[in-house]
Amino acid sequence: MEYEICLEPSGTCFKANESQNIVEAAKTHNVAIKHGCASGSCGDCKGTILSGESEQGPFMPLLLLPTERAAGMAILCKLYPRSNMRLQAEVISRNIWKAEIVGLSKLAWNVLELRLRPEKSYPYRTGQYARMAVPGYEDQWRSYSMATPPQDQGELVFHVRELPGGLFSRWLFYQAQCGDSITLGPAQGDFALHHDHHRPMLCIAAGTGLAPVEAIIQESIDLEQTRPIHLFYGAKKQRDFYHLEMLQQWAQQHTHLTVTPTISDAEEANWSGARRLLPTVAANGHWQDHEVYLCGGPGMIEAAIDLLLSHGVSHNHIHFDAFAPNG
Ligand SMILES: Cc1cc2nc3c(=O)[nH]c(=O)nc-3n(C[C@H](O)[C@H](O)[C@H](O)COP(=O)(O)OP(=O)(O)OC[C@H]3O[C@@H](n4cnc5c(N)ncnc54)[C@H](O)[C@@H]3O)c2cc1C
Ligand code: FES
């Protein structure tokens, strides 16, 4: 069964069938609704149902608060129409940036630092991410977080993990060279340092989830904030860590910063540090009065949210960016 979906305020309409989510259906009609993961993990496709019937599929807890649901808000990449609908949804600008690769260097065996120089100014806020077209597959886009606050010289820095069979990451690891060009969409996302109060910060990063967390910590240091920051940084094995020495140097220079690395592989006998990310967080403090920043895979984020809520942290003080596979 096909339905007509109309978007406000753009006035754009398109057809969608019952098995297509709204973001996907829009895409097949060349309408780009703002989205990130397309898998219910990031919240960038939030919209509001103005009229019509639909079925909301599952999504990451806390993406929609009960008050937002009551106001008709929905996660559009998991929303399936059951009648004609009117929705309020952000249609993204067709702005694109060409950017030249100006640096490619290994941070760990499976992580590359990618440096890009966009042809024109690329505005973003610390903690946001860029969508990049996979070279040779211009309809395939991948999301990567900027790993530093905006830089004077305008370069963009990313930490990219190689994935088995990864279309973009394997191109970057094995084919890309300095001088190659990458197409970027506009910066997206709400993950950002919250300046409105001076609560201590609890940061939890797993793998390349360190990228936006490191940028947020750097911004806090640049702003000369001295509120306590505790970073828990998780990896599977010791060889997976990157920037650990740099973070430990930051902690020596800025005594309000504490860094606790953890590994999860029980077989690494020569590791004397902490083991298992979330149990280490749970055992190391009372976090109710903290502002929390979480970044890593969706499984870790869901488990961390459960843990923090059970420890009395209010949902208003939990900010997260889930590095979901790009749908
Ligand atoms: C908002 C946002 C920001 C992100 N920022 C970063 C970042 O800064 N650095 C970074 O390394 N990644 C980041 N990611 C994750 C990255 O965009 C995805 O992992 C992406 O799919 C990788 O593209 P690829 O072409 O290499 O692999 P794909 O071709 O997309 O996938 C290859 C295979 O790996 C699986 N897969 C993909 N991603 C994951 C994952 N995260 N965990 C487990 N399996 C996976 C796929 O299902 C598929 O089987 C971010 C994701 C989001 C949503
Ligand atoms: S795009 Fe819908 S939740 Fe990420």
Side-chain angles (χ1 to χ4, degrees):
M1 184 106 180
E2 258 199 345
Y3 302 113
E4 184 174 66
I5 311 298
C6 290
L7 304 181
E8 304 284 350
S10 63
T12 317
C13 295
F14 54 89
K15 300 273 183 212
N17 65 47
E18 289 192 331
S19 62
Q20 277 179 311
N21 69 64
I22 298 293
V23 170
E24 188 188 349
K27 209 188 263 180
T28 60
H29 292 87
N30 245 342
V31 179
I33 293 180
K34 184 177 161 212
H35 67 283
C37 63
S39 58
S41 297
C42 73
D44 274 358
C45 62
K46 271 185 201 178
T48 303
I49 300 168
L50 301 174
S51 66
E53 300 301 317
S54 57
E55 194 175 319
Q56 177 74 77
F59 55 84
M60 178 80 76
L62 295 196
L63 284 187
L64 283 183
L65 301 177
T67 45
E68 292 178 315
R69 283 197 90 148
M73 290 184 78
I75 296 295
L76 301 185
C77 72
K78 290 282 178 184
L79 190 74
Y80 299 88
R82 295 292 177 261
S83 73
N84 293 342
M85 296 187 79
R86 269 178 58 244
L87 296 165
Q88 192 160 37
E90 194 175 335
V91 176
I92 45 177
S93 82
R94 298 222 164 256
N95 278 354
I96 54 161
W97 282 253
K98 291 281 173 198
E100 181 188 344
I101 300 182
V102 292
L104 275 175
S105 50
K106 276 262 171 90
L107 295 176
W109 68 278
N110 63 348
V111 180
L112 267 185
E113 181 189 85
L114 165 68
R115 300 185 85 91
L116 296 179
R117 187 181 300 133
E119 58 180 352
K120 58 187 181 195
S121 160
Y122 185 82
Y124 74 94
R125 291 190 315 277
T126 304
Q128 284 194 301
Y129 67 93
R131 284 171 57 79
M132 303 183 190
V134 180
Y137 300 82
E138 302 292 320
D139 61 335
Q140 295 270 347
W141 293 75
R142 302 289 188 262
S143 304
Y144 289 98
S145 300
M146 275 64 80
T148 68
Q151 312 231 23
D152 290 343
Q153 69 277 29
E155 273 182 22
L156 308 176
V157 181
F158 303 90
H159 305 161
V160 178
R161 178 161 71 108
E162 182 187 356
L163 286 162
L167 209 54
F168 181 80
S169 56
R170 288 186 61 81
W171 171 81
L172 199 67
F173 271 69
Y174 301 106
Q175 278 176 259
Q177 296 191 340
C178 285
D180 286 351
S181 174
I182 289 184
T183 304
L184 304 178
Q188 290 182 207
D190 296 327
F191 194 55
L193 181 64
H194 286 251
H195 295 281
D196 43 348
H197 45 67
H198 291 278
R199 288 171 153 254
M201 289 164 61
L202 165 63
C203 299
I204 305 175
T208 46
L210 182 65
V213 171
E214 191 179 290
I216 283 173
I217 293 174
Q218 195 182 332
E219 180 170 271
S220 170
I221 290 173
D222 292 347
L223 290 169
E224 299 183 354
Q225 296 181 343
T226 53
R227 52 176 151 170
I229 305 176
H230 200 143
L231 167 64
F232 291 86
Y233 172 25
K236 188 162 180 228
K237 293 172 180 280
Q238 291 176 70
R239 66 173 189 155
D240 301 337
F241 284 124
Y242 65 91
H243 281 187
L244 190 50
E245 244 174 64
M246 183 193 86
L247 292 165
Q248 282 163 338
Q249 271 172 17
W250 284 8
Q252 275 175 6
Q253 289 159 5
H254 307 281
T255 48
H256 62 285
L257 171 65
T258 309
V259 177
T260 304
T262 70
I263 63 165
S264 58
D265 188 338
E267 282 168 21
E268 293 230 342
N270 62 346
W271 172 253
S272 57
R275 289 181 187 267
R276 299 178 61 218
L277 183 58
L278 297 181
T280 304
V281 173
N284 267 270
H286 301 284
W287 307 114
Q288 292 95 318
D289 61 343
H290 282 60
E291 200 69 18
V292 183
Y293 298 86
L294 301 171
C295 191
M300 185 284 275
I301 303 276
E302 273 196 58
I305 290 173
D306 279 353
L307 173 81
L308 293 161
L309 292 175
S310 75
H311 279 237
V313 181
S314 150
H315 56 70
N316 298 329
H317 297 301
I318 302 176
H319 315 286
F320 62 89
D321 212 6
F323 281 9
N326 284 216

